[in-house]
């Protein structure tokens, strides 16, 4: 999947301004290619969008969810607790230029903010977005191991004695949820393996 083409088609369904679409894409590409992004990179977006294709028929507004994928980690600083808020604001300012209506922009902001706490939502589109965001947790052990190494690199400014307790807390949070995945499709596809992967990582911490 070519991310640029995907994003372009998305933009052109709202505005015929190709220069604007190109500028917005270049900005996204630059953000997700920043030094220090080992996991929250363009390949994370590719994975999310490919997972989304499997449930396309179940999503009520595919365009808003797709924009949320592109912008949900556009601002990412491992030392900040406001990444989602900043990403939502960033998305809002860019999507207003594209001519999206306030309802769609509010929906996208809500979806991006939901990736902060990953709580089940009454809105099914949010639940699908959260599930594709966490789909890496249920991949095969080798892919999961690569993911954990990349996350560790993103937090390399923290020594082990600080990183490990924080990581343990995150992983335990996932295990304490009623279920990691919010939708039946992803629960069936990834829940069992995700629990195994997380427990394996916890044992190694």
């Amino acid at each position: 999947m070519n991310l640029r083409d995907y994003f372009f088609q998305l933009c052109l369904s709202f505005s015929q301004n190709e220069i604007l679409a190109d500028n917005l894409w270049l900005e996204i590409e630059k953000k997700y290619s920043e030094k220090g992004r080992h996991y929250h990179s363009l390949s994370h977006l590719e994975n999310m969008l490919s997972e989304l294709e499997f449930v396309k028929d179940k999503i009520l507004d595919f365009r808003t969810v797709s924009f949320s994928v592109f912008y949900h980690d556009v601002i990412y600083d491992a030392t900040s607790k406001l990444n989602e808020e900043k990403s939502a604001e960033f998305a809002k300012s860019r999507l207003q230029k594209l001519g999206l209506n306030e309802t769609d922009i509010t929906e996208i902001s809500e979806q991006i903010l939901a990736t902060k706490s990953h709580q089940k939502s009454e809105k099914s589109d949010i639940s699908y977005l959260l599930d594709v965001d966490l789909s890496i947790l249920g991949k095969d052990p080798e892919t999961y191991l690569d993911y954990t190494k990349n996350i560790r690199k993103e937090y390399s400014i923290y020594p082990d004695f600080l990183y490990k307790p924080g990581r343990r807390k995150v992983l335990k949070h996932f295990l304490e949820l009623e279920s990691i995945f919010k939708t039946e499709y992803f629960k069936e596809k990834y829940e069992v393996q995700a629990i195994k992967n997380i427990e394996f990582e916890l044992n190694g911490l």
Side-chain angles (χ1 to χ4, degrees), residues 147-166:
Y147 150 74
T148 64
K149 286 176 180 172
N150 285 330
I151 289 287
R152 183 65 188 102
K153 284 178 193 168
E154 288 190 343
Y155 286 88
S156 60
I157 61 159
Y158 296 108
D160 275 354
F161 77 89
L162 287 176
Y163 176 77
K164 287 185 175 183

mmCIF file of all heavy atoms in Angstrom, residues 147-166:
data_model
loop_
_atom_site.group_PDB
_atom_site.id
_atom_site.type_symbol
_atom_site.label_atom_id
_atom_site.label_comp_id
_atom_site.label_asym_id
_atom_site.label_seq_id
_atom_site.Cartn_x
_atom_site.Cartn_y
_atom_site.Cartn_z
ATOM 1 N N TYR A 147 8.732 -5.270 17.934
ATOM 2 C CA TYR A 147 7.969 -4.118 18.450
ATOM 3 C C TYR A 147 8.495 -3.689 19.818
ATOM 4 O O TYR A 147 8.728 -2.498 20.058
ATOM 5 C CB TYR A 147 6.479 -4.490 18.506
ATOM 6 C CG TYR A 147 5.680 -3.818 19.586
ATOM 7 C CD1 TYR A 147 5.316 -2.467 19.491
ATOM 8 C CD2 TYR A 147 5.262 -4.531 20.714
ATOM 9 C CE1 TYR A 147 4.576 -1.852 20.498
ATOM 10 C CE2 TYR A 147 4.528 -3.925 21.711
ATOM 11 C CZ TYR A 147 4.187 -2.590 21.605
ATOM 12 O OH TYR A 147 3.464 -1.978 22.601
ATOM 13 N N THR A 148 8.726 -4.642 20.718
ATOM 14 C CA THR A 148 9.210 -4.285 22.066
ATOM 15 C C THR A 148 10.595 -3.640 22.002
ATOM 16 O O THR A 148 10.883 -2.706 22.752
ATOM 17 C CB THR A 148 9.256 -5.508 23.019
ATOM 18 O OG1 THR A 148 10.205 -6.463 22.525
ATOM 19 C CG2 THR A 148 7.899 -6.165 23.166
ATOM 20 N N LYS A 149 11.430 -4.126 21.091
ATOM 21 C CA LYS A 149 12.775 -3.537 20.937
ATOM 22 C C LYS A 149 12.677 -2.095 20.428
ATOM 23 O O LYS A 149 13.423 -1.221 20.872
ATOM 24 C CB LYS A 149 13.611 -4.377 19.963
ATOM 25 C CG LYS A 149 14.086 -5.702 20.549
ATOM 26 C CD LYS A 149 14.812 -6.512 19.497
ATOM 27 C CE LYS A 149 15.292 -7.851 20.068
ATOM 28 N NZ LYS A 149 15.832 -8.731 19.008
ATOM 29 N N ASN A 150 11.757 -1.883 19.495
ATOM 30 C CA ASN A 150 11.595 -0.537 18.930
ATOM 31 C C ASN A 150 11.010 0.439 19.947
ATOM 32 O O ASN A 150 11.408 1.606 20.001
ATOM 33 C CB ASN A 150 10.733 -0.595 17.670
ATOM 34 C CG ASN A 150 11.502 -1.161 16.490
ATOM 35 O OD1 ASN A 150 12.711 -1.004 16.397
ATOM 36 N ND2 ASN A 150 10.806 -1.829 15.588
ATOM 37 N N ILE A 151 10.085 -0.042 20.762
ATOM 38 C CA ILE A 151 9.528 0.801 21.832
ATOM 39 C C ILE A 151 10.641 1.165 22.819
ATOM 40 O O ILE A 151 10.763 2.316 23.243
ATOM 41 C CB ILE A 151 8.366 0.085 22.565
ATOM 42 C CG1 ILE A 151 7.134 0.001 21.647
ATOM 43 C CG2 ILE A 151 8.015 0.775 23.873
ATOM 44 C CD1 ILE A 151 6.387 1.309 21.419
ATOM 45 N N ARG A 152 11.478 0.186 23.139
ATOM 46 C CA ARG A 152 12.586 0.454 24.075
ATOM 47 C C ARG A 152 13.522 1.522 23.508
ATOM 48 O O ARG A 152 13.998 2.412 24.231
ATOM 49 C CB ARG A 152 13.375 -0.844 24.365
ATOM 50 C CG ARG A 152 14.520 -0.659 25.391
ATOM 51 C CD ARG A 152 13.968 -0.299 26.736
ATOM 52 N NE ARG A 152 14.961 0.074 27.731
ATOM 53 C CZ ARG A 152 15.243 1.314 28.113
ATOM 54 N NH1 ARG A 152 14.656 2.342 27.523
ATOM 55 N NH2 ARG A 152 16.109 1.547 29.075
ATOM 56 N N LYS A 153 13.772 1.451 22.184
ATOM 57 C CA LYS A 153 14.639 2.463 21.544
ATOM 58 C C LYS A 153 14.010 3.851 21.636
ATOM 59 O O LYS A 153 14.711 4.845 21.816
ATOM 60 C CB LYS A 153 14.865 2.107 20.070
ATOM 61 C CG LYS A 153 15.847 0.971 19.842
ATOM 62 C CD LYS A 153 15.944 0.698 18.346
ATOM 63 C CE LYS A 153 16.658 -0.600 18.061
ATOM 64 N NZ LYS A 153 16.491 -0.994 16.636
ATOM 65 N N GLU A 154 12.686 3.913 21.495
ATOM 66 C CA GLU A 154 12.009 5.217 21.571
ATOM 67 C C GLU A 154 12.132 5.833 22.966
ATOM 68 O O GLU A 154 12.093 7.052 23.108
ATOM 69 C CB GLU A 154 10.531 5.078 21.188
ATOM 70 C CG GLU A 154 10.328 4.847 19.707
ATOM 71 C CD GLU A 154 8.895 4.938 19.248
ATOM 72 O OE1 GLU A 154 7.971 4.870 20.095
ATOM 73 O OE2 GLU A 154 8.675 5.067 18.048
ATOM 74 N N TYR A 155 12.279 4.966 23.954
ATOM 75 C CA TYR A 155 12.412 5.448 25.337
ATOM 76 C C TYR A 155 13.851 5.327 25.824
ATOM 77 O O TYR A 155 14.097 5.186 27.026
ATOM 78 C CB TYR A 155 11.468 4.659 26.255
ATOM 79 C CG TYR A 155 10.020 5.059 26.093
ATOM 80 C CD1 TYR A 155 9.214 4.441 25.144
ATOM 81 C CD2 TYR A 155 9.460 6.067 26.876
ATOM 82 C CE1 TYR A 155 7.886 4.818 24.976
ATOM 83 C CE2 TYR A 155 8.134 6.448 26.719
ATOM 84 C CZ TYR A 155 7.359 5.820 25.767
ATOM 85 O OH TYR A 155 6.044 6.204 25.604
ATOM 86 N N SER A 156 14.790 5.375 24.882
ATOM 87 C CA SER A 156 16.195 5.141 25.246
ATOM 88 C C SER A 156 16.770 6.199 26.184
ATOM 89 O O SER A 156 17.791 5.975 26.822
ATOM 90 C CB SER A 156 17.061 5.043 23.988
ATOM 91 O OG SER A 156 16.966 6.250 23.257
ATOM 92 N N ILE A 157 16.102 7.355 26.291
ATOM 93 C CA ILE A 157 16.607 8.374 27.233
ATOM 94 C C ILE A 157 16.422 7.933 28.686
ATOM 95 O O ILE A 157 17.018 8.497 29.591
ATOM 96 C CB ILE A 157 15.931 9.752 27.024
ATOM 97 C CG1 ILE A 157 14.421 9.663 27.246
ATOM 98 C CG2 ILE A 157 16.246 10.331 25.672
ATOM 99 C CD1 ILE A 157 13.780 11.002 27.552
ATOM 100 N N TYR A 158 15.561 6.915 28.885
ATOM 101 C CA TYR A 158 15.324 6.431 30.252
ATOM 102 C C TYR A 158 16.154 5.189 30.534
ATOM 103 O O TYR A 158 16.122 4.238 29.752
ATOM 104 C CB TYR A 158 13.842 6.087 30.454
ATOM 105 C CG TYR A 158 12.924 7.279 30.325
ATOM 106 C CD1 TYR A 158 12.092 7.419 29.213
ATOM 107 C CD2 TYR A 158 12.876 8.268 31.297
ATOM 108 C CE1 TYR A 158 11.236 8.517 29.078
ATOM 109 C CE2 TYR A 158 12.043 9.369 31.170
ATOM 110 C CZ TYR A 158 11.228 9.488 30.066
ATOM 111 O OH TYR A 158 10.399 10.575 29.942
ATOM 112 N N PRO A 159 16.877 5.162 31.658
ATOM 113 C CA PRO A 159 17.600 3.939 32.033
ATOM 114 C C PRO A 159 16.612 2.837 32.436
ATOM 115 O O PRO A 159 15.450 3.119 32.733
ATOM 116 C CB PRO A 159 18.448 4.381 33.225
ATOM 117 C CG PRO A 159 17.745 5.576 33.783
ATOM 118 C CD PRO A 159 17.048 6.245 32.640
ATOM 119 N N ASP A 160 17.088 1.596 32.440
ATOM 120 C CA ASP A 160 16.223 0.442 32.750
ATOM 121 C C ASP A 160 15.444 0.590 34.052
ATOM 122 O O ASP A 160 14.278 0.203 34.133
ATOM 123 C CB ASP A 160 17.055 -0.845 32.811
ATOM 124 C CG ASP A 160 17.245 -1.453 31.431
ATOM 125 O OD1 ASP A 160 16.641 -0.934 30.468
ATOM 126 O OD2 ASP A 160 18.007 -2.432 31.314
ATOM 127 N N PHE A 161 16.093 1.156 35.074
ATOM 128 C CA PHE A 161 15.418 1.222 36.382
ATOM 129 C C PHE A 161 14.194 2.141 36.348
ATOM 130 O O PHE A 161 13.312 2.055 37.200
ATOM 131 C CB PHE A 161 16.397 1.585 37.516
ATOM 132 C CG PHE A 161 16.777 3.038 37.582
ATOM 133 C CD1 PHE A 161 16.019 3.952 38.329
ATOM 134 C CD2 PHE A 161 17.901 3.508 36.913
ATOM 135 C CE1 PHE A 161 16.371 5.288 38.395
ATOM 136 C CE2 PHE A 161 18.254 4.843 36.974
ATOM 137 C CZ PHE A 161 17.490 5.739 37.714
ATOM 138 N N LEU A 162 14.145 3.011 35.344
ATOM 139 C CA LEU A 162 12.957 3.860 35.165
ATOM 140 C C LEU A 162 12.023 3.275 34.108
ATOM 141 O O LEU A 162 10.803 3.312 34.251
ATOM 142 C CB LEU A 162 13.372 5.276 34.731
ATOM 143 C CG LEU A 162 14.002 6.175 35.783
ATOM 144 C CD1 LEU A 162 14.447 7.488 35.160
ATOM 145 C CD2 LEU A 162 13.028 6.451 36.928
ATOM 146 N N TYR A 163 12.631 2.741 33.052
ATOM 147 C CA TYR A 163 11.820 2.234 31.936
ATOM 148 C C TYR A 163 11.006 1.001 32.333
ATOM 149 O O TYR A 163 9.813 0.920 32.053
ATOM 150 C CB TYR A 163 12.720 1.891 30.737
ATOM 151 C CG TYR A 163 11.939 1.261 29.596
ATOM 152 C CD1 TYR A 163 11.148 2.040 28.759
ATOM 153 C CD2 TYR A 163 11.985 -0.122 29.374
ATOM 154 C CE1 TYR A 163 10.413 1.465 27.724
ATOM 155 C CE2 TYR A 163 11.256 -0.695 28.346
ATOM 156 C CZ TYR A 163 10.480 0.099 27.526
ATOM 157 O OH TYR A 163 9.750 -0.476 26.513
ATOM 158 N N LYS A 164 11.663 0.053 32.983
ATOM 159 C CA LYS A 164 11.001 -1.239 33.241
ATOM 160 C C LYS A 164 9.741 -1.116 34.098
ATOM 161 O O LYS A 164 8.707 -1.694 33.759
ATOM 162 C CB LYS A 164 11.997 -2.243 33.838
ATOM 163 C CG LYS A 164 12.989 -2.752 32.805
ATOM 164 C CD LYS A 164 13.898 -3.826 33.370
ATOM 165 C CE LYS A 164 14.793 -4.396 32.286
ATOM 166 N NZ LYS A 164 15.644 -5.481 32.796
ATOM 167 N N PRO A 165 9.753 -0.366 35.211
ATOM 168 C CA PRO A 165 8.513 -0.221 35.988
ATOM 169 C C PRO A 165 7.395 0.447 35.174
ATOM 170 O O PRO A 165 6.235 0.064 35.276
ATOM 171 C CB PRO A 165 8.916 0.651 37.175
ATOM 172 C CG PRO A 165 10.392 0.529 37.273
ATOM 173 C CD PRO A 165 10.872 0.316 35.874
ATOM 174 N N GLY A 166 7.780 1.433 34.359
ATOM 175 C CA GLY A 166 6.784 2.121 33.528
ATOM 176 C C GLY A 166 6.179 1.184 32.502
ATOM 177 O O GLY A 166 4.963 1.183 32.274
#
